[in-house]
Amino acid sequence: MLIALAVITVLIALVYLVMNLYPAFGGKQQVEKRARFERTGHYVNGKFVNQIPTSMSMNAKETARVFFEFMRGAPNGKPAKRIAVEPLVPRHLGAGQAAVTWFGHSALLLQIGGKTLFIDPMLGRAPSPFPAIGGKRYSANLPVAIEDLPPLDAVLISHDHYDHLDYGSIMKLKDKVRRFFVPLGVGVHLERWGVDPERIEEHDWWDEFEFEGLTLASTPARHFSGRRGMDRDSTLWCSWVIASQETRVFFSGDSGYGPHFAEIGNKYGPFDLTLMECGQYDERWAAIHMMPEETVQAHLDLLGKLMIPVHWGAFTLALHSWTDPAERAVKAAAAHNTPICTPRIGETVVIGASGLPASPWWEAFS
């Protein structure tokens, strides 16, 4: 009995030390910021909440079933071979036009209004605090090495989950970035990783502000947050509106379907381009991740002109076929007669141009 207690004590101590000393878990929320959080109206009993009720709980039986389904794996759950990406030459980016380059999953390099922004730059090998044991990226390399990226005017983060906010990526990027725009509470992670607090701005839903000729707005999403297990919903999650005088872009972040899309569309639409979550879904967690058909409906609610589906094509984080998001989104968009663009990873799309990429490129890797 004494040996068992000693082993348990040592294990608890090790877990505590790892959770508090291992930097990938990020920073702890600062008590002095909670007064600001409480003024938002969507911070209740020490946690942020969604605009509408959003259940994410499964009973023990369902949780066990999901675990074993993940262990078994889904048919066609990942590509049959490594995805080849389009090499990116930074000096050719957009050629001065508004343009976006998809890096897989939700990582997007956006040029707009003469500025270069990176959205949710998860550029690591796996969406995990321990990348060596996480599910690996489908491609062997990125369109361009992080070291070869141009200077970035700003990085925008939607929330603090590992597949959107990656410690290793930020450590390599941070000296290239002039400003970080993040939802409430997320700044503590960046500060722990050595980003100067003067370069970090935290924003609530519906905050609208100017950034060197651009209008940015942090807008609602229907999701959750957390990196440590015990810190769930201690930071906010959001979507982003990014507008220049000529071009309006919307990025959904992670979100279940909800009335916020129509609200954003009515306030800020129409959008020339929407970058919409379309992957890692399941009926059992549909409240926090849209089905592809809902993704297309959300795009319509936003008064979007052209949609690019994101949050797929890089990692397996759900039980559907890896090609399912794109195939279902393309089908739903056709049913609604709304344009959809499916670029390869690394392929730059000039916003407003004709002849946009729409081929089923994924079929070559299935």
Side-chain angles (χ1 to χ4, degrees):
M1 180 64 73
L2 289 175
I3 293 174
L5 287 173
V7 170
I8 292 171
T9 301
V10 169
L11 288 175
I12 292 173
L14 285 174
V15 170
Y16 176 83
L17 288 172
V18 169
M19 295 296 290
N20 285 277
L21 299 179
Y22 186 53
F25 287 112
K28 288 186 177 180
Q29 206 48 253
Q30 300 165 354
V31 175
E32 58 268 24
K33 288 189 176 182
R34 291 179 184 167
R36 180 187 179 190
F37 297 168
E38 289 168 354
R39 291 195 295 270
T40 67
H42 40 265
Y43 187 75
V44 180
N45 297 324
K47 293 183 179 295
F48 287 101
V49 297
N50 285 293
Q51 287 183 312
I52 60 176
T54 302
S55 174
M56 293 172 281
S57 61
M58 293 186 291
N59 59 36
K61 182 179 179 180
E62 195 61 54
T63 300
R65 180 181 300 167
V66 169
F67 174 78
F68 285 112
E69 288 178 9
F70 269 104
M71 293 294 290
R72 185 171 61 247
N76 197 36
K78 60 182 64 177
K81 56 184 177 180
R82 288 281 198 177
I83 289 179
V85 304
E86 293 290 310
L88 179 65
V89 181
R91 67 176 180 273
H92 294 162
L93 281 170
Q97 300 169 292
V100 65
T101 305
W102 182 45
F103 276 59
H105 204 60
S106 293
L108 296 143
L109 189 65
L110 175 65
Q111 288 191 298
I112 183 170
K115 303 300 176 187
T116 301
L117 316 178
F118 217 136
I119 303 171
D120 281 3
M122 195 296 173
L123 305 176
R125 61 185 297 193
S128 165
F130 305 103
I133 59 175
K136 300 299 185 291
R137 183 179 290 273
Y138 296 161
S139 58
N141 52 284
L142 298 168
V144 62
I146 295 177
E147 294 77 11
D148 295 332
L149 281 168
L152 301 172
D153 295 294
V155 160
L156 278 64
I157 302 294
S158 65
H159 63 297
D160 68 2
H161 285 159
Y162 293 103
D163 57 324
H164 295 260
L165 178 60
D166 178 60
Y167 165 67
S169 301
I170 296 297
M171 292 300 290
K172 292 181 179 179
L173 279 172
K174 63 181 183 180
D175 292 334
K176 290 178 175 284
V177 182
R178 292 199 294 116
R179 303 292 291 178
F180 288 84
F181 299 113
V182 303
L184 292 176
V186 174
V188 296
H189 304 314
L190 301 178
E191 289 180 33
R192 183 176 184 187
W193 300 338
V195 178
D196 184 347
E198 294 296 318
R199 294 194 286 137
I200 303 168
E201 288 188 23
E202 294 189 351
H203 288 281
D204 190 13
W205 292 340
W206 303 117
D207 280 357
E208 180 182 316
F209 57 100
E210 298 297 314
F211 174 62
E212 299 180 2
L214 298 179
T215 298
L216 303 181
S218 168
T219 45
R222 189 184 180 200
H223 200 55
F224 70 110
S225 66
R227 296 177 72 85
R228 298 166 172 263
M230 301 300 291
D231 65 340
R232 186 160 174 161
D233 300 336
S234 64
T235 64
L236 190 59
W237 47 95
C238 74
S239 54
W240 285 101
V241 171
I242 307 153
S244 68
Q245 290 187 349
E246 299 82 17
T247 307
R248 304 181 77 82
V249 175
F250 175 78
F251 171 65
S252 70
D254 280 5
S255 183
Y257 183 72
H260 59 284
F261 291 114
E263 293 171 4
I264 296 165
N266 290 335
K267 184 175 177 64
Y268 290 107
F271 290 96
D272 299 287
L273 175 67
T274 68
L275 304 162
M276 301 297 291
E277 183 213 55
C278 185
Q280 322 316 322
Y281 47 78
D282 191 286
E283 291 286 356
R284 289 165 290 194
W285 52 85
I288 56 169
H289 285 298
M290 290 182 285
M291 301 300 193
E293 294 77 19
E294 292 178 311
T295 298
V296 173
Q297 183 58 56
H299 164 77
L300 296 172
D301 293 349
L302 289 158
L303 309 178
K305 298 177 183 177
L306 175 70
M307 183 184 98
I308 294 180
V310 300
H311 206 245
W312 74 285
F315 307 108
T316 297
L317 301 174
L319 295 162
H320 53 69
S321 160
W322 82 274
T323 64
D324 203 42
E327 291 167 348
R328 287 176 61 175
V330 167
K331 183 178 179 181
H336 287 279
N337 195 32
T338 189
I340 188 171
C341 180
T342 54
R344 297 172 183 268
I345 295 172
E347 185 174 10
T348 298
V349 174
V350 176
I351 302 170
S354 59
L356 295 170
S359 69
W361 59 264
W362 49 87
E363 293 178 355
F365 303 98
S366 297

